[in-house]
Amino acid sequence: MDLGIQGKTALVLGGGGGLGSAVARALASEGVRVAVADLDPAAADRTAASIVSGGGTALPLQWDLSDPSITTARLETIAARLGPVDILINNTGGPPPTPAHGQSREAWQQYFQSMVLSVIGITDAVLPGMRSRRWGRIVTSTSSGVIAPIPNLGISNTLRLSLVGWSKTLAREVGVDGVTANIVLPGRVATDRIQFLDEQKAARENRPIESVRTESTGAIPVGRYGLPEEYADAVLFLASQRAAYITGTTLRVDGGLIASI
């Protein structure tokens, strides 16, 4: 299937991590020029190198989402090297496990900036170009916790849910200009983040990590954790020309984990 995005330019936030790296590589496999942004420059370099070694085009960028002052310069670099952004993949790191109560104002402000305001600001910066070209894709990765709040992920559940309302509202505003905005919810996908959360739960409950994994996979109808590449394929489709009539939606990539309809 021709996804109709060869020659487009994508910016993948968090492109050095498990999900972001898989998405960046999936886009590159379709002939998309990919800017790989990550707080960790070495991680961005690794993803970009894997794309280039496969014959693709990639630009690694160190990008601290807590610092909005660098957005304009980073986007200018992308435009000069790869072209203006046609596809934006909003994928941010998650906060540490915490209960919803008792967190400091500073913690809420820190993660609101890095997880929410950064996404909104970068999207606002690339939208005028997308609208003028009458084509754009905005795909925002959140968490299954926005539908079924995950215990001990109070900050994540709260802040990621705000992006769902934002994306749905945005979709109605820009759809007529050929720009789509969608949310993708990863369930239990085998990444370093899930490994970390499993380890934290095992430590809190004083039990083996294999017990935690067995319990987790037992709640997933397909009986296993997802692969980053499976998640990336879903994002890739939403970023494609083939998904031009899909906007304002929330797609679950969770192996059936979320029990609600």
Side-chain angles (χ1 to χ4, degrees):
M1 178 187 293
D2 180 7
L3 295 181
I5 52 176
Q6 184 172 2
K8 300 287 189 185
T9 297
L11 167 57
V12 180
L13 303 180
L19 294 182
S21 181
V23 170
R25 288 182 277 109
L27 288 163
S29 73
E30 292 294 322
V32 176
R33 300 183 293 265
V34 184
V36 181
D38 203 277
L39 177 63
D40 180 357
D45 286 343
R46 285 193 296 271
T47 297
S50 70
I51 289 171
V52 172
S53 68
T57 301
L59 172 66
L61 293 167
Q62 195 280 334
W63 200 317
D64 182 355
L65 294 179
S66 69
D67 182 4
S69 69
I70 66 175
T71 297
T72 298
R74 293 295 188 276
L75 292 176
E76 287 175 349
T77 297
I78 294 169
R81 298 278 298 275
L82 304 178
V85 174
D86 303 297
I87 299 166
L88 174 61
I89 308 299
N90 289 316
N91 174 55
T92 69
T98 63
H101 71 279
Q103 305 312 309
S104 69
R105 179 182 295 271
E106 291 74 22
W108 284 106
Q109 290 174 332
Q110 174 189 348
Y111 290 109
F112 184 63
Q113 171 59 53
S114 63
M115 295 172 60
V116 179
L117 291 183
S118 62
V119 165
I120 294 172
I122 294 169
T123 302
D124 281 351
V126 301
L127 263 175
M130 290 180 177
R131 299 177 85 177
S132 69
R133 295 188 298 275
R134 311 288 297 178
W135 201 96
R137 298 288 181 267
I138 300 160
V139 183
T140 302
S141 180
T142 57
S143 162
S144 61
V146 306
I147 295 178
I150 302 168
N152 207 49
L153 287 183
I155 293 178
S156 177
N157 294 336
T158 304
L159 298 184
R160 293 194 193 280
L161 185 56
S162 67
L163 290 172
V164 179
W166 163 79
S167 181
K168 181 68 172 180
T169 306
L170 180 65
R172 295 187 65 87
E173 296 172 354
V174 300
V176 71
D177 300 315
V179 180
T180 67
N182 292 291
I183 294 285
V184 186
L185 308 182
R188 305 287 291 182
V189 180
T191 63
D192 290 343
R193 169 73 172 174
I194 293 299
Q195 171 74 14
F196 170 73
L197 292 176
D198 284 350
E199 290 172 351
Q200 290 289 300
K201 184 174 183 179
R204 284 196 312 274
E205 299 178 1
N206 193 28
R207 59 189 175 116
I209 190 170
E210 285 307 320
S211 171
V212 171
R213 291 195 184 113
T214 298
E215 180 182 75
S216 294
T217 55
I220 302 171
V222 301
R224 61 176 176 86
Y225 286 171
L227 300 176
E229 292 76 16
E230 292 173 313
Y231 181 79
D233 285 342
V235 173
L236 177 63
F237 180 73
L238 288 178
S240 76
Q241 178 59 32
R242 296 284 184 168
Y245 203 60
I246 302 174
T247 194
T249 195
T250 299
L251 175 64
R252 307 174 186 187
V253 186
D254 67 346
L257 171 65
I258 301 171
S260 66
I261 295 173

